[in-house]
Short mmCIF file of all heavy atoms in Angstrom, two decimals:
data_model
loop_
_atom_site.label_atom_id
_atom_site.label_comp_id
_atom_site.label_asym_id
_atom_site.label_seq_id
_atom_site.Cartn_x
_atom_site.Cartn_y
_atom_site.Cartn_z
N GLY A 642 0.81 -1.15 -0.01
CA GLY A 642 0.03 0.00 0.05
C GLY A 642 0.82 1.24 -0.03
O GLY A 642 2.04 1.22 0.15
N PHE A 643 0.28 2.38 -0.19
CA PHE A 643 0.91 3.61 -0.29
C PHE A 643 0.96 4.39 1.02
O PHE A 643 1.61 5.46 1.03
CB PHE A 643 0.32 4.48 -1.37
CG PHE A 643 0.46 3.92 -2.75
CD1 PHE A 643 -0.63 3.64 -3.59
CD2 PHE A 643 1.73 3.72 -3.24
CE1 PHE A 643 -0.47 3.11 -4.80
CE2 PHE A 643 1.95 3.18 -4.52
CZ PHE A 643 0.83 2.90 -5.31
N ALA A 644 0.22 3.98 1.97
CA ALA A 644 0.14 4.84 3.26
C ALA A 644 0.28 3.87 4.42
O ALA A 644 -0.04 2.75 4.35
CB ALA A 644 -1.18 5.60 3.28
N GLY A 645 0.69 4.41 5.56
CA GLY A 645 0.84 3.69 6.74
C GLY A 645 2.36 3.69 7.11
O GLY A 645 3.16 4.09 6.39
N ALA A 646 2.61 3.26 8.38
CA ALA A 646 3.91 3.35 8.93
C ALA A 646 5.01 2.66 8.09
O ALA A 646 6.08 3.18 7.81
CB ALA A 646 3.95 2.80 10.34
N SER A 647 4.74 1.44 7.64
CA SER A 647 5.78 0.70 6.86
C SER A 647 5.87 1.23 5.42
O SER A 647 6.99 1.26 4.83
CB SER A 647 5.38 -0.77 6.76
OG SER A 647 5.58 -1.41 8.04
N ALA A 648 4.82 1.78 4.84
CA ALA A 648 4.87 2.36 3.53
C ALA A 648 5.72 3.61 3.57
O ALA A 648 6.57 3.81 2.63
CB ALA A 648 3.49 2.63 3.02
N ILE A 649 5.54 4.47 4.50
CA ILE A 649 6.31 5.70 4.65
C ILE A 649 7.77 5.45 4.89
O ILE A 649 8.68 5.93 4.29
CB ILE A 649 5.69 6.57 5.69
CG1 ILE A 649 4.37 7.05 5.24
CG2 ILE A 649 6.64 7.81 5.99
CD1 ILE A 649 3.47 7.62 6.38
N ARG A 650 8.05 4.50 5.83
CA ARG A 650 9.41 4.20 6.21
C ARG A 650 10.09 3.53 5.03
O ARG A 650 11.32 3.75 4.82
CB ARG A 650 9.46 3.25 7.42
CG ARG A 650 10.86 2.98 8.00
CD ARG A 650 10.90 2.15 9.25
NE ARG A 650 10.22 0.84 9.03
CZ ARG A 650 9.09 0.40 9.70
NH1 ARG A 650 8.50 1.25 10.48
NH2 ARG A 650 8.63 -0.75 9.52
N GLY A 651 9.45 2.62 4.28
CA GLY A 651 10.13 1.95 3.16
C GLY A 651 10.09 2.71 1.86
O GLY A 651 10.68 2.30 0.94
N ARG A 652 9.45 3.85 1.78
CA ARG A 652 9.38 4.64 0.64
C ARG A 652 8.87 3.87 -0.57
O ARG A 652 9.50 3.88 -1.68
CB ARG A 652 10.74 5.34 0.37
CG ARG A 652 11.12 6.33 1.39
CD ARG A 652 12.36 7.09 1.07
NE ARG A 652 13.23 6.89 2.14
CZ ARG A 652 14.45 6.44 2.15
NH1 ARG A 652 15.04 6.26 1.03
NH2 ARG A 652 15.19 6.34 3.20
N PHE A 653 7.83 3.10 -0.39
CA PHE A 653 7.29 2.24 -1.50
C PHE A 653 6.62 3.06 -2.53
O PHE A 653 6.58 2.62 -3.75
CB PHE A 653 6.25 1.26 -0.87
CG PHE A 653 6.77 0.30 0.07
CD1 PHE A 653 6.34 0.27 1.35
CD2 PHE A 653 7.76 -0.63 -0.36
CE1 PHE A 653 6.84 -0.69 2.24
CE2 PHE A 653 8.20 -1.56 0.51
CZ PHE A 653 7.78 -1.56 1.82
N GLY A 654 6.04 4.16 -2.32
CA GLY A 654 5.18 4.90 -3.19
C GLY A 654 5.69 5.08 -4.65
O GLY A 654 5.00 4.64 -5.57
N ASP A 655 6.82 5.65 -4.84
CA ASP A 655 7.32 6.02 -6.17
C ASP A 655 7.49 4.80 -6.97
O ASP A 655 6.98 4.76 -8.16
CB ASP A 655 8.66 6.85 -6.05
CG ASP A 655 8.44 8.23 -5.45
OD1 ASP A 655 7.33 8.69 -5.41
OD2 ASP A 655 9.51 8.76 -5.00
N ARG A 656 8.10 3.79 -6.50
CA ARG A 656 8.42 2.56 -7.28
C ARG A 656 7.10 1.82 -7.56
O ARG A 656 6.91 1.37 -8.68
CB ARG A 656 9.39 1.70 -6.52
CG ARG A 656 9.71 0.38 -7.11
CD ARG A 656 10.52 0.54 -8.36
NE ARG A 656 10.64 -0.60 -9.15
CZ ARG A 656 11.65 -1.54 -8.99
NH1 ARG A 656 12.64 -1.32 -8.24
NH2 ARG A 656 11.67 -2.60 -9.77
N HIS A 657 6.25 1.72 -6.60
CA HIS A 657 5.04 0.98 -6.80
C HIS A 657 4.11 1.64 -7.73
O HIS A 657 3.42 1.01 -8.60
CB HIS A 657 4.26 0.74 -5.49
CG HIS A 657 4.91 -0.30 -4.59
ND1 HIS A 657 6.07 -0.16 -4.02
CD2 HIS A 657 4.46 -1.57 -4.35
CE1 HIS A 657 6.35 -1.28 -3.32
NE2 HIS A 657 5.40 -2.15 -3.48
N ARG A 658 4.07 2.97 -7.77
CA ARG A 658 3.21 3.68 -8.73
C ARG A 658 3.70 3.48 -10.16
O ARG A 658 2.89 3.50 -11.10
CB ARG A 658 3.22 5.21 -8.41
CG ARG A 658 2.29 5.51 -7.22
CD ARG A 658 2.19 7.05 -6.97
NE ARG A 658 1.17 7.27 -6.01
CZ ARG A 658 1.32 7.20 -4.68
NH1 ARG A 658 2.44 6.82 -4.17
NH2 ARG A 658 0.31 7.45 -3.87
N VAL A 659 4.95 3.34 -10.36
CA VAL A 659 5.53 3.12 -11.70
C VAL A 659 5.31 1.65 -12.11
O VAL A 659 4.86 1.32 -13.24
CB VAL A 659 7.04 3.42 -11.72
CG1 VAL A 659 7.70 2.88 -13.01
CG2 VAL A 659 7.28 4.90 -11.57
N ASP A 660 5.50 0.66 -11.16
CA ASP A 660 5.47 -0.71 -11.55
C ASP A 660 4.07 -1.36 -11.51
O ASP A 660 3.76 -2.21 -12.27
CB ASP A 660 6.39 -1.51 -10.59
CG ASP A 660 7.85 -1.25 -10.79
OD1 ASP A 660 8.19 -0.70 -11.88
OD2 ASP A 660 8.67 -1.56 -9.88
N ALA A 661 3.10 -0.88 -10.66
CA ALA A 661 1.83 -1.46 -10.52
C ALA A 661 1.03 -1.61 -11.89
O ALA A 661 0.51 -2.72 -12.20
CB ALA A 661 1.00 -0.70 -9.54
N PRO A 662 1.02 -0.57 -12.72
CA PRO A 662 0.32 -0.74 -14.03
C PRO A 662 0.95 -1.78 -14.93
O PRO A 662 0.22 -2.33 -15.85
CB PRO A 662 0.33 0.62 -14.63
CG PRO A 662 0.63 1.61 -13.44
CD PRO A 662 1.45 0.77 -12.47
N LYS A 663 2.18 -2.13 -14.69
CA LYS A 663 2.87 -3.09 -15.56
C LYS A 663 2.59 -4.54 -15.19
O LYS A 663 2.89 -5.46 -15.90
CB LYS A 663 4.38 -2.92 -15.42
CG LYS A 663 4.86 -1.50 -15.98
CD LYS A 663 6.34 -1.32 -15.75
CE LYS A 663 6.78 0.08 -16.10
NZ LYS A 663 8.23 0.33 -15.75
N ILE A 664 1.97 -4.76 -14.01
CA ILE A 664 1.64 -6.06 -13.53
C ILE A 664 0.35 -6.53 -14.22
O ILE A 664 -0.68 -5.99 -13.99
CB ILE A 664 1.50 -6.15 -12.01
CG1 ILE A 664 2.86 -5.71 -11.40
CG2 ILE A 664 1.04 -7.47 -11.54
CD1 ILE A 664 2.76 -5.60 -9.90
N THR A 665 0.54 -7.54 -15.10
CA THR A 665 -0.60 -7.98 -15.93
C THR A 665 -0.98 -9.44 -15.62
O THR A 665 -1.97 -9.92 -16.11
CB THR A 665 -0.33 -7.83 -17.41
OG1 THR A 665 0.81 -8.52 -17.69
CG2 THR A 665 -0.14 -6.34 -17.73
N CYS A 666 -0.26 -10.15 -14.80
CA CYS A 666 -0.61 -11.55 -14.44
C CYS A 666 -1.74 -11.59 -13.46
O CYS A 666 -2.00 -10.51 -12.80
CB CYS A 666 0.68 -12.23 -13.95
SG CYS A 666 1.27 -11.58 -12.30
N PRO A 667 -2.45 -12.65 -13.27
CA PRO A 667 -3.49 -12.67 -12.22
C PRO A 667 -2.93 -12.33 -10.90
O PRO A 667 -1.87 -12.78 -10.56
CB PRO A 667 -3.98 -14.12 -12.38
CG PRO A 667 -3.62 -14.60 -13.72
CD PRO A 667 -2.34 -13.87 -14.06
N VAL A 668 -3.73 -11.63 -10.09
CA VAL A 668 -3.29 -11.09 -8.77
C VAL A 668 -4.35 -11.43 -7.71
O VAL A 668 -5.50 -11.22 -7.91
CB VAL A 668 -3.08 -9.59 -8.81
CG1 VAL A 668 -2.78 -9.10 -7.46
CG2 VAL A 668 -2.02 -9.24 -9.78
N LEU A 669 -3.88 -12.08 -6.63
CA LEU A 669 -4.67 -12.18 -5.42
C LEU A 669 -4.05 -11.19 -4.37
O LEU A 669 -2.92 -11.36 -4.01
CB LEU A 669 -4.67 -13.61 -4.87
CG LEU A 669 -5.35 -13.84 -3.56
CD1 LEU A 669 -6.79 -13.46 -3.64
CD2 LEU A 669 -5.17 -15.28 -3.09
N PHE A 670 -4.82 -10.15 -4.07
CA PHE A 670 -4.36 -9.08 -3.16
C PHE A 670 -4.97 -9.18 -1.84
O PHE A 670 -6.22 -9.18 -1.71
CB PHE A 670 -4.73 -7.77 -3.90
CG PHE A 670 -4.04 -6.55 -3.39
CD1 PHE A 670 -2.86 -6.09 -4.05
CD2 PHE A 670 -4.51 -5.79 -2.30
CE1 PHE A 670 -2.29 -4.92 -3.52
CE2 PHE A 670 -3.89 -4.68 -1.85
CZ PHE A 670 -2.79 -4.29 -2.47
N MET A 671 -4.22 -9.50 -0.77
CA MET A 671 -4.72 -9.65 0.52
C MET A 671 -4.57 -8.40 1.38
O MET A 671 -3.53 -7.75 1.33
CB MET A 671 -3.91 -10.74 1.26
CG MET A 671 -3.87 -12.07 0.40
SD MET A 671 -5.46 -12.86 0.10
CE MET A 671 -5.56 -13.80 1.60
N VAL A 672 -5.68 -8.02 2.05
CA VAL A 672 -5.65 -6.80 2.86
C VAL A 672 -6.17 -7.12 4.28
O VAL A 672 -7.19 -7.86 4.37
CB VAL A 672 -6.59 -5.78 2.29
CG1 VAL A 672 -6.73 -4.56 3.25
CG2 VAL A 672 -6.10 -5.36 0.89
N GLN A 673 -5.46 -6.75 5.27
CA GLN A 673 -5.93 -6.88 6.66
C GLN A 673 -6.65 -5.56 7.02
O GLN A 673 -6.06 -4.52 6.87
CB GLN A 673 -4.82 -7.13 7.57
CG GLN A 673 -4.17 -8.59 7.54
CD GLN A 673 -5.21 -9.58 7.77
OE1 GLN A 673 -5.73 -10.21 6.82
NE2 GLN A 673 -5.61 -9.82 9.03
N TRP A 674 -7.91 -5.70 7.36
CA TRP A 674 -8.76 -4.51 7.54
C TRP A 674 -8.22 -3.52 8.57
O TRP A 674 -8.37 -2.35 8.41
CB TRP A 674 -10.19 -4.94 7.92
CG TRP A 674 -11.21 -3.84 7.64
CD1 TRP A 674 -11.84 -3.13 8.59
CD2 TRP A 674 -11.71 -3.47 6.42
NE1 TRP A 674 -12.67 -2.20 8.03
CE2 TRP A 674 -12.62 -2.44 6.67
CE3 TRP A 674 -11.44 -3.84 5.09
CZ2 TRP A 674 -13.25 -1.81 5.61
CZ3 TRP A 674 -12.13 -3.20 4.03
CH2 TRP A 674 -13.05 -2.17 4.35
N ASP A 675 -7.62 -4.01 9.57
CA ASP A 675 -7.07 -3.20 10.72
C ASP A 675 -5.58 -3.12 10.72
O ASP A 675 -4.93 -2.94 11.74
CB ASP A 675 -7.58 -3.78 12.05
CG ASP A 675 -9.09 -3.84 12.08
OD1 ASP A 675 -9.72 -2.83 11.86
OD2 ASP A 675 -9.65 -4.98 12.31
N ASP A 676 -4.94 -3.32 9.53
CA ASP A 676 -3.50 -3.33 9.42
C ASP A 676 -2.89 -2.02 9.98
O ASP A 676 -3.26 -0.93 9.58
CB ASP A 676 -3.09 -3.47 7.91
CG ASP A 676 -1.69 -3.90 7.69
OD1 ASP A 676 -0.79 -3.31 8.42
OD2 ASP A 676 -1.44 -4.70 6.84
N GLU A 677 -1.98 -2.24 10.95
CA GLU A 677 -1.29 -1.13 11.55
C GLU A 677 -0.05 -0.63 10.73
O GLU A 677 0.50 0.41 11.08
CB GLU A 677 -0.90 -1.45 13.00
CG GLU A 677 0.22 -2.39 13.16
CD GLU A 677 -0.05 -3.86 12.92
OE1 GLU A 677 -1.10 -4.18 12.36
OE2 GLU A 677 0.85 -4.65 13.20
N ARG A 678 0.29 -1.38 9.78
CA ARG A 678 1.51 -1.05 8.98
C ARG A 678 1.27 -0.44 7.62
O ARG A 678 1.98 0.43 7.19
CB ARG A 678 2.35 -2.36 8.80
CG ARG A 678 2.87 -2.80 10.12
CD ARG A 678 3.62 -4.18 10.05
NE ARG A 678 4.81 -3.88 9.26
CZ ARG A 678 5.69 -4.83 8.78
NH1 ARG A 678 5.38 -6.14 9.08
NH2 ARG A 678 6.71 -4.60 8.08
N PHE A 679 0.13 -0.96 7.02
CA PHE A 679 -0.27 -0.36 5.71
C PHE A 679 -1.76 -0.10 5.84
O PHE A 679 -2.57 -0.97 5.98
CB PHE A 679 -0.03 -1.35 4.60
CG PHE A 679 1.42 -1.71 4.40
CD1 PHE A 679 1.99 -2.84 5.02
CD2 PHE A 679 2.18 -0.95 3.59
CE1 PHE A 679 3.30 -3.08 4.83
CE2 PHE A 679 3.60 -1.26 3.41
CZ PHE A 679 4.09 -2.36 3.98
N ASP A 680 -2.17 1.25 5.71
CA ASP A 680 -3.56 1.53 5.92
C ASP A 680 -4.41 1.06 4.67
O ASP A 680 -3.85 0.93 3.58
CB ASP A 680 -3.82 2.94 6.31
CG ASP A 680 -3.69 3.99 5.15
OD1 ASP A 680 -3.87 3.59 4.01
OD2 ASP A 680 -3.38 5.13 5.48
N ARG A 681 -5.63 0.82 4.86
CA ARG A 681 -6.52 0.18 3.84
C ARG A 681 -6.65 1.15 2.67
O ARG A 681 -6.80 0.59 1.52
CB ARG A 681 -7.79 -0.38 4.42
CG ARG A 681 -8.89 0.59 4.66
CD ARG A 681 -10.12 -0.09 5.21
NE ARG A 681 -9.94 -0.48 6.62
CZ ARG A 681 -10.56 0.11 7.59
NH1 ARG A 681 -11.38 1.09 7.31
NH2 ARG A 681 -10.32 -0.20 8.81
N ASP A 682 -6.82 2.41 2.84
CA ASP A 682 -6.96 3.29 1.70
C ASP A 682 -5.74 3.26 0.76
O ASP A 682 -5.87 3.26 -0.46
CB ASP A 682 -7.26 4.72 2.19
CG ASP A 682 -8.61 4.96 2.81
OD1 ASP A 682 -9.50 4.12 2.53
OD2 ASP A 682 -8.76 5.88 3.58
N GLY A 683 -4.54 3.19 1.30
CA GLY A 683 -3.41 3.07 0.54
C GLY A 683 -3.28 1.74 -0.20
O GLY A 683 -2.83 1.57 -1.34
N ALA A 684 -3.78 0.68 0.47
CA ALA A 684 -3.82 -0.61 -0.12
C ALA A 684 -4.84 -0.68 -1.28
O ALA A 684 -4.53 -1.24 -2.36
CB ALA A 684 -4.17 -1.74 0.90
N PHE A 685 -5.95 -0.06 -1.07
CA PHE A 685 -6.99 -0.02 -2.18
C PHE A 685 -6.49 0.77 -3.37
O PHE A 685 -6.71 0.44 -4.50
CB PHE A 685 -8.32 0.53 -1.70
CG PHE A 685 -9.05 -0.23 -0.63
CD1 PHE A 685 -9.89 0.32 0.21
CD2 PHE A 685 -8.75 -1.51 -0.46
CE1 PHE A 685 -10.61 -0.40 1.19
CE2 PHE A 685 -9.38 -2.33 0.49
CZ PHE A 685 -10.35 -1.71 1.37
N GLU A 686 -5.78 1.85 -3.08
CA GLU A 686 -5.16 2.66 -4.14
C GLU A 686 -4.18 1.81 -5.02
O GLU A 686 -4.23 1.85 -6.18
CB GLU A 686 -4.48 3.94 -3.62
CG GLU A 686 -3.85 4.83 -4.59
CD GLU A 686 -3.17 6.03 -4.06
OE1 GLU A 686 -3.20 6.20 -2.81
OE2 GLU A 686 -2.60 6.77 -4.83
N LEU A 687 -3.35 1.09 -4.29
CA LEU A 687 -2.37 0.22 -5.06
C LEU A 687 -3.17 -0.86 -5.84
O LEU A 687 -2.84 -1.11 -6.98
CB LEU A 687 -1.41 -0.41 -4.06
CG LEU A 687 -0.45 -1.46 -4.63
CD1 LEU A 687 0.40 -0.82 -5.76
CD2 LEU A 687 0.45 -2.00 -3.50
N PHE A 688 -4.16 -1.52 -5.23
CA PHE A 688 -4.94 -2.52 -5.95
C PHE A 688 -5.50 -1.93 -7.25
O PHE A 688 -5.49 -2.51 -8.27
CB PHE A 688 -6.02 -3.02 -5.07
CG PHE A 688 -6.93 -4.04 -5.67
CD1 PHE A 688 -6.48 -5.34 -5.86
CD2 PHE A 688 -8.19 -3.68 -6.14
CE1 PHE A 688 -7.33 -6.26 -6.47
CE2 PHE A 688 -8.99 -4.59 -6.79
CZ PHE A 688 -8.59 -5.91 -6.94
N ASP A 689 -6.05 -0.75 -7.11
CA ASP A 689 -6.82 -0.12 -8.24
C ASP A 689 -5.74 0.20 -9.38
O ASP A 689 -6.09 0.20 -10.54
CB ASP A 689 -7.43 1.24 -7.85
CG ASP A 689 -8.67 1.03 -7.12
OD1 ASP A 689 -9.23 -0.08 -7.22
OD2 ASP A 689 -9.09 2.04 -6.44
N MET A 690 -4.48 0.43 -9.04
CA MET A 690 -3.44 0.76 -10.05
C MET A 690 -2.90 -0.46 -10.78
O MET A 690 -2.28 -0.33 -11.78
CB MET A 690 -2.29 1.50 -9.36
CG MET A 690 -2.69 2.91 -8.90
SD MET A 690 -1.28 3.78 -8.25
CE MET A 690 -0.46 4.19 -9.79
N LEU A 691 -3.15 -1.61 -10.24
CA LEU A 691 -2.55 -2.89 -10.90
C LEU A 691 -3.17 -3.01 -12.28
O LEU A 691 -4.35 -2.84 -12.51
CB LEU A 691 -2.91 -4.11 -10.11
CG LEU A 691 -2.33 -4.20 -8.66
CD1 LEU A 691 -2.93 -5.31 -7.94
CD2 LEU A 691 -0.82 -4.40 -8.79
N GLY A 692 -2.25 -3.42 -13.23
CA GLY A 692 -2.70 -3.47 -14.61
C GLY A 692 -3.37 -4.81 -14.95
O GLY A 692 -3.91 -4.88 -16.04
N ALA A 693 -3.43 -5.74 -14.02
CA ALA A 693 -4.06 -7.02 -14.29
C ALA A 693 -5.56 -6.84 -14.54
O ALA A 693 -6.22 -6.08 -13.84
CB ALA A 693 -3.74 -7.94 -13.18
N THR A 694 -6.10 -7.59 -15.51
CA THR A 694 -7.55 -7.60 -15.70
C THR A 694 -8.14 -8.67 -14.77
O THR A 694 -9.32 -8.57 -14.41
CB THR A 694 -7.94 -7.98 -17.15
OG1 THR A 694 -7.25 -9.13 -17.56
CG2 THR A 694 -7.43 -6.79 -18.05
N ASP A 695 -7.36 -9.71 -14.43
CA ASP A 695 -7.85 -10.72 -13.44
C ASP A 695 -7.16 -10.40 -12.04
O ASP A 695 -6.01 -10.80 -11.83
CB ASP A 695 -7.43 -12.17 -13.90
CG ASP A 695 -7.91 -13.24 -13.02
OD1 ASP A 695 -8.50 -12.96 -11.94
OD2 ASP A 695 -7.59 -14.38 -13.35
N LYS A 696 -7.88 -9.63 -11.27
CA LYS A 696 -7.34 -9.34 -9.97
C LYS A 696 -8.44 -9.41 -8.98
O LYS A 696 -9.58 -9.03 -9.20
CB LYS A 696 -6.67 -7.97 -9.95
CG LYS A 696 -7.59 -6.77 -10.31
CD LYS A 696 -6.78 -5.53 -10.30
CE LYS A 696 -7.66 -4.32 -10.72
NZ LYS A 696 -6.87 -3.07 -10.75
N ARG A 697 -8.10 -9.99 -7.79
CA ARG A 697 -9.11 -10.17 -6.74
C ARG A 697 -8.54 -9.64 -5.42
O ARG A 697 -7.40 -9.82 -5.13
CB ARG A 697 -9.37 -11.68 -6.58
CG ARG A 697 -9.99 -12.20 -7.83
CD ARG A 697 -9.86 -13.72 -7.86
NE ARG A 697 -10.10 -14.12 -9.22
CZ ARG A 697 -10.84 -15.14 -9.53
NH1 ARG A 697 -11.38 -15.90 -8.60
NH2 ARG A 697 -11.06 -15.51 -10.82
N LEU A 698 -9.39 -9.01 -4.68
CA LEU A 698 -9.02 -8.43 -3.39
C LEU A 698 -9.74 -9.20 -2.23
O LEU A 698 -10.97 -9.31 -2.30
CB LEU A 698 -9.32 -6.94 -3.36
CG LEU A 698 -8.85 -6.23 -2.12
CD1 LEU A 698 -8.39 -4.82 -2.50
CD2 LEU A 698 -9.91 -6.14 -1.06
N HIS A 699 -9.00 -9.73 -1.38
CA HIS A 699 -9.58 -10.39 -0.18
C HIS A 699 -9.28 -9.58 1.02
O HIS A 699 -8.05 -9.31 1.33
CB HIS A 699 -9.04 -11.82 0.01
CG HIS A 699 -9.45 -12.79 -1.00
ND1 HIS A 699 -9.39 -14.13 -0.80
CD2 HIS A 699 -9.99 -12.68 -2.24
CE1 HIS A 699 -9.80 -14.86 -1.82
NE2 HIS A 699 -10.26 -13.93 -2.75
N ALA A 700 -10.28 -9.14 1.75
CA ALA A 700 -10.07 -8.37 2.95
C ALA A 700 -10.46 -9.22 4.13
O ALA A 700 -11.55 -9.85 4.11
CB ALA A 700 -10.84 -7.08 2.90
N HIS A 701 -9.67 -9.17 5.18
CA HIS A 701 -9.94 -9.91 6.43
C HIS A 701 -9.76 -9.00 7.59
O HIS A 701 -8.90 -8.14 7.61
CB HIS A 701 -8.97 -11.08 6.50
CG HIS A 701 -9.10 -12.09 5.42
ND1 HIS A 701 -9.99 -13.07 5.37
CD2 HIS A 701 -8.33 -12.17 4.30
CE1 HIS A 701 -9.81 -13.78 4.30
NE2 HIS A 701 -8.81 -13.30 3.62
N PRO A 702 -10.55 -9.21 8.72
CA PRO A 702 -10.39 -8.43 9.95
C PRO A 702 -9.07 -8.76 10.53
O PRO A 702 -8.53 -9.85 10.36
CB PRO A 702 -11.53 -8.83 10.76
CG PRO A 702 -12.00 -10.17 10.32
CD PRO A 702 -11.58 -10.21 8.87
N GLY A 703 -8.52 -7.75 11.22
CA GLY A 703 -7.33 -8.04 12.01
C GLY A 703 -6.11 -7.14 11.61
O GLY A 703 -6.14 -6.38 10.69
N LEU A 704 -5.05 -7.33 12.39
CA LEU A 704 -3.82 -6.61 12.18
C LEU A 704 -2.98 -7.27 11.12
O LEU A 704 -3.29 -8.24 10.56
CB LEU A 704 -3.08 -6.53 13.54
CG LEU A 704 -3.74 -5.85 14.70
CD1 LEU A 704 -2.91 -6.02 15.95
CD2 LEU A 704 -4.04 -4.42 14.32
N HIS A 705 -1.81 -6.57 10.81
CA HIS A 705 -0.97 -6.96 9.68
C HIS A 705 -0.70 -8.46 9.67
O HIS A 705 -0.78 -9.09 8.65
CB HIS A 705 0.36 -6.15 9.74
CG HIS A 705 1.23 -6.37 8.55
ND1 HIS A 705 1.02 -5.85 7.36
CD2 HIS A 705 2.31 -7.18 8.46
CE1 HIS A 705 1.94 -6.22 6.51
NE2 HIS A 705 2.74 -7.07 7.19
N GLY A 706 -0.31 -8.99 10.76
CA GLY A 706 0.14 -10.42 10.77
C GLY A 706 -0.92 -11.45 11.15
O GLY A 706 -0.60 -12.57 11.40
N GLU A 707 -2.17 -11.04 11.09
CA GLU A 707 -3.26 -11.94 11.57
C GLU A 707 -4.09 -12.51 10.47
O GLU A 707 -5.35 -12.66 10.60
CB GLU A 707 -4.14 -11.13 12.55
CG GLU A 707 -3.45 -10.67 13.76
CD GLU A 707 -4.27 -9.87 14.70
OE1 GLU A 707 -5.39 -9.37 14.33
OE2 GLU A 707 -3.94 -9.77 15.90
N LEU A 708 -3.50 -12.83 9.37
CA LEU A 708 -4.24 -13.46 8.25
C LEU A 708 -4.86 -14.80 8.74
O LEU A 708 -4.10 -15.67 9.22
CB LEU A 708 -3.28 -13.68 7.09
CG LEU A 708 -3.93 -14.22 5.79
CD1 LEU A 708 -4.88 -13.23 5.23
CD2 LEU A 708 -2.85 -14.63 4.78
N PRO A 709 -6.14 -14.89 8.57
CA PRO A 709 -6.75 -16.15 9.03
C PRO A 709 -6.49 -17.34 8.23
O PRO A 709 -5.95 -17.12 7.04
CB PRO A 709 -8.26 -15.83 9.08
CG PRO A 709 -8.40 -14.82 7.97
CD PRO A 709 -7.14 -14.01 8.04
N ALA A 710 -6.78 -18.61 8.67
CA ALA A 710 -6.50 -19.79 7.90
C ALA A 710 -7.17 -19.70 6.53
O ALA A 710 -6.56 -20.20 5.49
CB ALA A 710 -7.01 -20.97 8.65
N GLU A 711 -8.31 -19.19 6.41
CA GLU A 711 -9.03 -18.98 5.13
C GLU A 711 -8.16 -18.26 4.15
O GLU A 711 -8.04 -18.60 2.92
CB GLU A 711 -10.34 -18.25 5.38
CG GLU A 711 -11.10 -17.88 4.12
CD GLU A 711 -12.30 -16.99 4.47
OE1 GLU A 711 -12.75 -16.96 5.60
OE2 GLU A 711 -12.73 -16.24 3.54
N GLY A 712 -7.54 -17.12 4.59
CA GLY A 712 -6.69 -16.40 3.66
C GLY A 712 -5.43 -17.10 3.30
O GLY A 712 -5.00 -17.02 2.15
N ARG A 713 -4.81 -17.74 4.30
CA ARG A 713 -3.67 -18.60 3.95
C ARG A 713 -3.95 -19.70 2.94
O ARG A 713 -3.21 -19.93 1.95
CB ARG A 713 -3.04 -19.22 5.21
CG ARG A 713 -2.37 -18.18 6.16
CD ARG A 713 -1.58 -18.81 7.24
NE ARG A 713 -2.43 -19.65 8.11
CZ ARG A 713 -3.07 -19.24 9.19
NH1 ARG A 713 -3.16 -17.92 9.46
NH2 ARG A 713 -3.78 -20.00 9.96
N ASP A 714 -5.11 -20.27 3.13
CA ASP A 714 -5.51 -21.32 2.12
C ASP A 714 -5.72 -20.69 0.69
O ASP A 714 -5.31 -21.36 -0.31
CB ASP A 714 -6.85 -22.04 2.54
CG ASP A 714 -6.69 -22.82 3.83
OD1 ASP A 714 -5.53 -23.17 4.20
OD2 ASP A 714 -7.72 -23.18 4.41
N ALA A 715 -6.33 -19.56 0.66
CA ALA A 715 -6.47 -18.86 -0.65
C ALA A 715 -5.16 -18.59 -1.32
O ALA A 715 -5.09 -18.71 -2.53
CB ALA A 715 -7.37 -17.61 -0.44
N THR A 716 -4.17 -18.22 -0.56
CA THR A 716 -2.86 -17.95 -1.16
C THR A 716 -2.23 -19.20 -1.71
O THR A 716 -1.53 -19.18 -2.69
CB THR A 716 -1.92 -17.15 -0.22
OG1 THR A 716 -1.66 -18.07 0.92
CG2 THR A 716 -2.47 -15.88 0.25
N ARG A 717 -2.45 -20.31 -1.09
CA ARG A 717 -1.92 -21.61 -1.55
C ARG A 717 -2.58 -22.07 -2.86
O ARG A 717 -1.93 -22.71 -3.64
CB ARG A 717 -2.02 -22.65 -0.49
CG ARG A 717 -1.12 -22.39 0.71
CD ARG A 717 -1.14 -23.57 1.68
NE ARG A 717 -0.44 -23.19 2.92
CZ ARG A 717 -1.14 -22.83 3.94
NH1 ARG A 717 -2.45 -22.95 4.09
NH2 ARG A 717 -0.45 -22.46 5.10
N GLU A 718 -3.91 -21.80 -2.89
CA GLU A 718 -4.61 -22.23 -4.12
C GLU A 718 -4.10 -21.44 -5.37
O GLU A 718 -4.16 -21.86 -6.39
CB GLU A 718 -6.11 -22.05 -3.93
CG GLU A 718 -6.66 -22.99 -2.91
CD GLU A 718 -8.18 -22.74 -2.65
OE1 GLU A 718 -8.85 -22.02 -3.45
OE2 GLU A 718 -8.67 -23.22 -1.57
#
């Protein structure tokens, strides 16, 4: 994502804004609704910028590291 403590510290914005539209492979984008490291508005902005036509966003409640089993299963599939 583009906003939040980790995004600001890591300076992700410039590089991600250039590269996101170039990503055209299928994407599964996972968002933790209460993420303390990357805020959801910044994550949604990044998702919207992805160039893939086949892209899916899964949002789950919880903090950054609290992806539930359902989410982990989806990433394996």
